[in-house]
Amino acid sequence: PIRNKQCSEPCGSDFWAIGKNCCSEDGSNFKCGDAGSKRAKSGLRLVEAAELPFYRLAVIQATGKYKMVSPHPIFFKWLEDPVAELHAWQRQGFRLFVIAMSGAFVFSGAALALAVHAMHIVI
């Protein structure tokens, strides 16, 4: 769980840093994302529904083992600079968009050339 160091009483454990294959079997030694960095103080929320049940299962196991309460867990990829991560996603999305549009343009051009060639043979 992501804990507030300034909270002296049980503040709840609804915020969880997540990742795949980056901690030991007992849940210690967490190394996902930028968890080891002192500058990391925020993250990006998980929105992929396919992964959600597995992280919820991990929360159920942790709450049972460590006697915690987490009624509404929210999952985050822990990062130093989540805005930079979003910009990287945006650049990657735009790059894929340009590649797809170029492919569609080439396909349309080839289809047009074949259609013109077929019409020229008929006429």
Side-chain angles (χ1 to χ4, degrees), residues 17-33 35 51 54-55 58:
I18 59 165
K20 293 180 186 172
N21 302 323
C22 54
C23 62
S24 62
E25 186 72 27
D26 64 354
S28 63
N29 198 18
F30 185 75
K31 297 180 182 178
C32 291
E51 297 177 2
F54 300 106
Y55 291 123

Side-chain angles (χ1 to χ4, degrees), residues 12 16-17 19 22 31 44 48 53 57 70 78 80 85 99 112:
W16 294 80
C22 54
K31 297 180 182 178
L44 293 176
E48 295 180 34
L57 178 61
S70 184
W78 204 241
E80 282 185 16
E85 182 82 6
I99 290 170
L112 178 63

Side-chain angles (χ1 to χ4, degrees), residues 4-72:
N4 183 351
K5 293 179 182 179
Q6 298 172 348
C7 184
S8 59
E9 60 186 55
C11 297
S13 301
D14 282 337
F15 299 106
W16 294 80
I18 59 165
K20 293 180 186 172
N21 302 323
C22 54
C23 62
S24 62
E25 186 72 27
D26 64 354
S28 63
N29 198 18
F30 185 75
K31 297 180 182 178
C32 291
D34 295 329
S37 172
K38 298 221 183 266
R39 296 187 315 168
K41 300 203 183 312
S42 56
L44 293 176
R45 185 172 179 187
L46 170 74
V47 292
E48 295 180 34
E51 297 177 2
L52 196 57
F54 300 106
Y55 291 123
R56 285 184 193 246
L57 178 61
V59 168
I60 291 169
Q61 290 174 338
T63 55
K65 183 175 183 177
Y66 298 107
K67 310 235 183 314
M68 300 185 305
V69 176
S70 184
H72 307 290

